[in-house]
Amino acid sequence: MSAGVWDWAQGVWDWAAANWYFPEEPGRGIRPRLVEHVRLAYSSIAIGLVLAVPLGLACVRWKVLYPPLLTGVNVLYAVPSIALFFLLLPYTGFSDWTAIVPLALYTLVILLPNVVDGLNQVPDHVRQAAVAMGFGPLRRLVRVETPVAVPVIIAGLRVASVATISMVSVASLVGLGGLGRLILSDGFRRQFDAPIVVGVVLVVLLAFATDALLVLAQRLLTPWTRRDRPRAGFRRRRRAAAAPAGAEALESTAVALPGKG
């Protein structure tokens, strides 16, 4: 059993090494599919974020906009992605926009609520303090409200990124899709395991790498969150180290008090 699994894994590895890249045919191989997958996924995520932030700001400013906008993006999300791909084909052709437009719109169902929730959770006293310091609306939004909302926004961005990286593969049905072309065209249609395994593994690794980059971005954008933790931990350790000495002093005081009487 183990020898058969090892031979199978070795065959998958050999196929991946042999088909990674063909210099004489730049559009053929695994690497071009991976580059296409990254381009489609990251472009969709970036456009979705660019759309979600101003829409979220408008929903916070004019609360009456939020229910219809949220309902609209939820209804749009219910439309199958394949249907949107084929609806766009007469207008965008076999270009990246055929995949980017639907995927960017799908990210709104996750990003829009997170942007609104992140901005709504900014405490009123923080806003009032910014106003008292002379911050105008735009400066208050950029310097105070947005940094406080960053963790919630990035939490939604992490979910949207993983979902988008996965959904890009479906675009292979219209001739796009990056790694999805390995999984569907080269794998399932030819009943060949190696392209399926390589495509799935690379999609998972890309999702993990993107999630790690977003976590790092959050740490860089919110430095105060990592400054407070070591201090709090140091204070806890110092109190724990001082506790025995304090207990011994209290015990000796309690023993000495009766003798004073």
Side-chain angles (χ1 to χ4, degrees):
M1 176 70 73
S2 60
V5 172
W6 173 256
D7 292 340
W8 176 82
Q10 185 65 40
V12 171
W13 177 263
D14 292 342
W15 181 87
N19 291 272
W20 177 252
Y21 184 61
F22 299 92
E24 66 279 3
E25 300 180 60
R28 180 184 169 206
I30 299 172
R31 193 176 80 173
R33 302 285 78 79
L34 177 60
V35 172
E36 181 186 5
H37 204 103
V38 172
R39 184 177 69 247
L40 293 175
Y42 282 19
S43 299
S44 304
I45 295 165
I47 293 173
L49 183 62
V50 169
L51 292 174
V53 171
L55 288 175
L57 292 173
C59 290
V60 172
R61 176 64 179 84
W62 299 286
K63 298 186 184 299
V64 69
L65 293 178
Y66 187 46
L69 274 177
L70 185 61
T71 302
V73 296
N74 282 324
V75 170
L76 185 63
Y77 192 77
V79 178
S81 57
I82 299 175
L84 283 181
F85 293 151
F86 281 102
L87 284 174
L88 286 173
L89 272 178
Y91 306 101
T92 56
F94 291 98
S95 66
D96 288 354
W97 292 107
T98 304
I100 290 174
V101 171
L103 294 174
L105 294 176
Y106 285 147
T107 62
L108 292 178
V109 75
I110 301 171
L111 293 177
L112 180 61
N114 278 70
V115 171
V116 174
D117 292 342
L119 293 172
N120 281 334
Q121 77 169 6
V122 179
D124 288 336
H125 67 270
V126 173
R127 290 192 176 94
Q128 293 170 5
V131 172
M133 293 174 64
F135 282 36
L138 181 60
R139 188 182 177 194
R140 186 182 70 221
L141 173 66
V142 174
R143 298 288 299 277
V144 178
E145 296 178 2
T146 301
V148 174
V150 161
V152 178
I153 295 174
I154 291 187
L157 189 60
R158 291 171 64 186
V159 176
S161 299
V162 173
T164 303
I165 289 170
S166 175
M167 290 177 63
V168 166
S169 301
V170 182
S172 62
L173 296 174
V174 292
L176 300 169
L179 295 170
R181 296 170 70 175
L182 291 179
I183 299 170
L184 296 177
S185 300
D186 298 341
F188 282 111
R189 291 179 183 175
R190 295 169 52 194
Q191 298 295 310
F192 188 27
D193 290 344
I196 299 173
V197 174
V198 171
V200 170
V201 169
L202 288 177
V203 168
V204 172
L205 291 177
L206 180 60
F208 273 112
T210 303
D211 189 71
L213 288 174
L214 290 173
V215 171
L216 178 61
Q218 178 177 338
R219 288 177 60 84
L220 293 175
L221 293 172
T222 57
W224 59 87
T225 58
R226 66 177 185 270
R227 277 204 303 264
D228 294 340
R229 289 174 185 172
R231 293 178 181 176
F234 175 75
R235 286 196 295 267
R236 284 195 297 269
R237 290 193 296 270
R238 187 173 61 182
R239 287 197 298 267
E248 291 175 3
L250 182 60
E251 183 179 355
S252 61
T253 304
V255 172
L257 281 176
K260 289 183 180 181

